[in-house]
Amino acid sequence: MTNAEELKSSGLKATLPRIKILDIFQRAQQRHMTAEDVFKILLGEGSDIGLATVYRVLMQFEQAGILSRNHFESGKSVFELNEGQHHDHLVCLDCGHVEEFFDPQIESRQRMVAQERGFTLQEHTLALYAHCTKDACPHRSIK
């Protein structure tokens, strides 16, 4: 499915800004991006799409289910492609790098905790904040 077809199937008109922003998420090595990250990539590609348009498109993509939004410790909204599979996040307090993970035991325990308290879990997000202990972390800034 092309980007234009994907947008149309989500109920959105295939405008140039939408196509370009969707393309950035599909080809980016960085999976979690802020509006500013997307804007910087667009600027680097010589695009004249403004930051306000980037914000508007990201909100439209979230409402259409194309992107998922998270709020990590930075306080900024971080977007990622919604691929339909649940996962949780591990966030580095040193550099902000985000790693995704899925642990069936954690998922099971969360459902049990909700059930024990009289709830049926519908959805949730889990973000663990930690300091990296990897000696050769590729995300650590060179100082």
Side-chain angles (χ1 to χ4, degrees), residues 18-31:
R18 288 178 182 152
I19 290 170
K20 284 187 172 192
I21 292 171
L22 180 57
D23 182 59
I24 286 171
F25 277 93
Q26 290 175 333
R27 63 183 164 82
Q29 289 182 347
Q30 181 181 350
R31 185 159 159 74

Side-chain angles (χ1 to χ4, degrees), residues 28-73:
Q29 289 182 347
Q30 181 181 350
R31 185 159 159 74
H32 302 86
M33 291 186 281
T34 64
E36 290 81 7
D37 294 331
V38 173
F39 180 65
K40 287 176 189 172
I41 292 169
L42 288 167
L43 280 178
E45 294 176 351
S47 175
D48 63 351
I49 297 170
L51 185 57
T53 300
V54 171
Y55 275 106
R56 188 170 48 256
V57 169
L58 294 177
M59 295 301 116
Q60 292 166 346
F61 282 3
E62 180 189 13
Q63 290 173 348
I66 296 170
L67 297 179
S68 296
R69 179 174 26 173
N70 291 289
H71 301 280
F72 297 130
E73 184 130 313

Side-chain angles (χ1 to χ4, degrees), residues 86-141:
H86 173 76
H87 59 268
D88 296 310
H89 298 94
L90 186 58
V91 182
C92 180
L93 290 169
D94 301 315
C95 71
H97 174 70
V98 179
E99 287 192 22
E100 298 174 354
F101 70 94
F102 178 82
D103 185 307
Q105 290 178 311
I106 290 174
E107 298 304 316
S108 175
R109 186 70 186 120
Q110 288 175 117
R111 284 190 298 278
M112 285 175 33
V113 167
Q115 188 175 21
E116 289 168 358
R117 288 165 174 75
F119 292 90
T120 302
L121 194 60
Q122 297 300 306
E123 67 177 74
H124 74 278
T125 59
L126 175 65
L128 304 175
Y129 298 91
H131 292 283
C132 178
T133 60
K134 301 172 194 165
D135 288 333
C137 178
H139 307 288
R140 187 176 293 132
S141 299

